[in-house]
Amino acid sequence: MIFKRSRLIVLAGLVLLGATVMLSWTQTWFTIVVNDGTAVDVLGSDAVGSLAALALAVFALVAALSLSSVIVRRVLGVVAAGVGGAVILVTQSALEDPLRASSSLITEATGISGAQSLRGLVDVVSVSGWPVPAIVGGGLIVVIGLFATFSAHRWPVATKKYDRATTVVADDPASQWDAQSRGIDPTAD
């Protein structure tokens, strides 16, 4: 049953997860308080600017998956899994070192630069819950990408409605007229 709806699951799932990653990117990830009491709110877009590009890549993959052949779908499924892995990697990198991810904003707020100077300047770093949807979304993009790779052969194929018919046209005029309607030249041998 799940394989009958695999195309719908993959396409809708990728759209939803791409939107989740994009939403996470727009929210506050860190609040950094320096020793003079100044609080700096760091958005996901400031900490991990590449998340927007990765979310847009997911949306592009949805369009490509919906129009491609079986072999290309399998390749795109692997690409989607790679994009999901990249989402996890860049988000985890920002979470491991929030000061490095937000150093430009701290420098802008305080006028002090340099990694060691900033570390000595910061009193408190609080992390919000918004990086979690990006990590979970990235993980699910990996799963759905792999699911697309292994279920691509079960997706409906493109219609043959506009393909040229290869049948021989009979000599009667009605049949020749029908052949022309289908795009076949009845005079060609």
Side-chain angles (χ1 to χ4, degrees), residues 25-89:
W25 177 77
T26 64
Q27 303 302 312
T28 301
W29 282 26
F30 311 119
T31 301
I32 298 174
V33 180
V34 295
N35 54 15
D36 70 353
T38 305
V40 179
D41 288 332
V42 181
L43 299 176
S45 59
D46 297 321
V48 186
S50 60
L51 270 186
L54 292 169
L56 291 174
V58 171
F59 295 138
L61 283 166
V62 170
L65 280 165
S66 66
L67 300 172
S68 59
S69 66
V70 173
I71 294 171
V72 176
R73 279 186 219 138
R74 289 183 179 187
V75 171
L76 292 174
V78 172
V79 170
V83 169
V87 167
I88 294 169
L89 183 69

Side-chain angles (χ1 to χ4, degrees), residues 1-128:
M1 179 67 177
I2 195 167
F3 287 108
K4 284 186 175 183
R5 300 195 187 269
S6 61
R7 180 174 188 255
L8 176 66
I9 291 168
V10 168
L11 298 180
L14 287 177
V15 167
L16 179 66
L17 293 170
T20 301
V21 170
M22 187 67 84
L23 176 65
S24 174
W25 177 77
T26 64
Q27 303 302 312
T28 301
W29 282 26
F30 311 119
T31 301
I32 298 174
V33 180
V34 295
N35 54 15
D36 70 353
T38 305
V40 179
D41 288 332
V42 181
L43 299 176
S45 59
D46 297 321
V48 186
S50 60
L51 270 186
L54 292 169
L56 291 174
V58 171
F59 295 138
L61 283 166
V62 170
L65 280 165
S66 66
L67 300 172
S68 59
S69 66
V70 173
I71 294 171
V72 176
R73 279 186 219 138
R74 289 183 179 187
V75 171
L76 292 174
V78 172
V79 170
V83 169
V87 167
I88 294 169
L89 183 69
V90 298
T91 304
Q92 190 63 35
S93 174
L95 286 174
E96 285 175 3
D97 193 0
L99 291 179
R100 182 177 45 86
S102 51
S103 63
S104 63
L105 286 179
I106 300 169
T107 299
E108 201 175 288
T110 62
I112 298 173
S113 64
Q116 288 302 100
S117 299
L118 291 178
R119 290 192 192 285
L121 185 67
V122 172
D123 281 342
V124 178
V125 176
S126 60
V127 179
S128 76

Side-chain angles (χ1 to χ4, degrees), residues 116-178:
Q116 288 302 100
S117 299
L118 291 178
R119 290 192 192 285
L121 185 67
V122 172
D123 281 342
V124 178
V125 176
S126 60
V127 179
S128 76
W130 281 105
V132 173
I135 290 176
V136 171
L140 291 174
I141 290 169
V142 170
V143 170
I144 288 181
L146 294 175
F147 180 67
T149 300
F150 294 112
S151 68
H153 64 282
R154 296 186 185 263
W155 293 17
V157 294
T159 180
K160 304 290 184 197
K161 179 178 179 181
Y162 297 106
D163 287 351
R164 209 168 220 198
T166 57
T167 59
V168 177
V169 177
D171 286 334
D172 89 273
S175 176
Q176 290 178 354
W177 185 263
D178 289 340

